[in-house]
Amino acid sequence: MHVSIDSGVCIGSGQCALTAPSVFDQDDDGFGLVRPGAEDGKNDPMVAEAARACPVQAISVGE
């Protein structure tokens, strides 16, 4: 699995960090980011839910 956030699309709602905090965090400006070393999703079952919960679909989850 590969997880990424499109920083040009992210609006900083924080749903990703709330839903899967082991994979996502927010930067100093409140925008979502994938935690360093967590680009593989860390086998967290909530990654897909975080992608679904993103109001602007800024999260990509692929193989």
Side-chain angles (χ1 to χ4, degrees), residues 16-38:
C16 56
L18 289 171
T19 305
S22 68
V23 177
F24 301 103
D25 199 357
Q26 290 180 282
D27 65 17
D28 292 338
D29 294 320
F31 294 102
L33 57 84
V34 177
R35 290 182 178 275

Side-chain angles (χ1 to χ4, degrees), residues 5-54:
I5 294 181
D6 185 336
S7 60
V9 175
C10 179
I11 60 170
S13 74
Q15 292 303 307
C16 56
L18 289 171
T19 305
S22 68
V23 177
F24 301 103
D25 199 357
Q26 290 180 282
D27 65 17
D28 292 338
D29 294 320
F31 294 102
L33 57 84
V34 177
R35 290 182 178 275
E39 294 85 0
D40 64 357
K42 300 186 77 151
N43 294 319
D44 187 330
M46 294 303 290
V47 170
E49 179 61 22
R52 189 201 64 75
C54 179

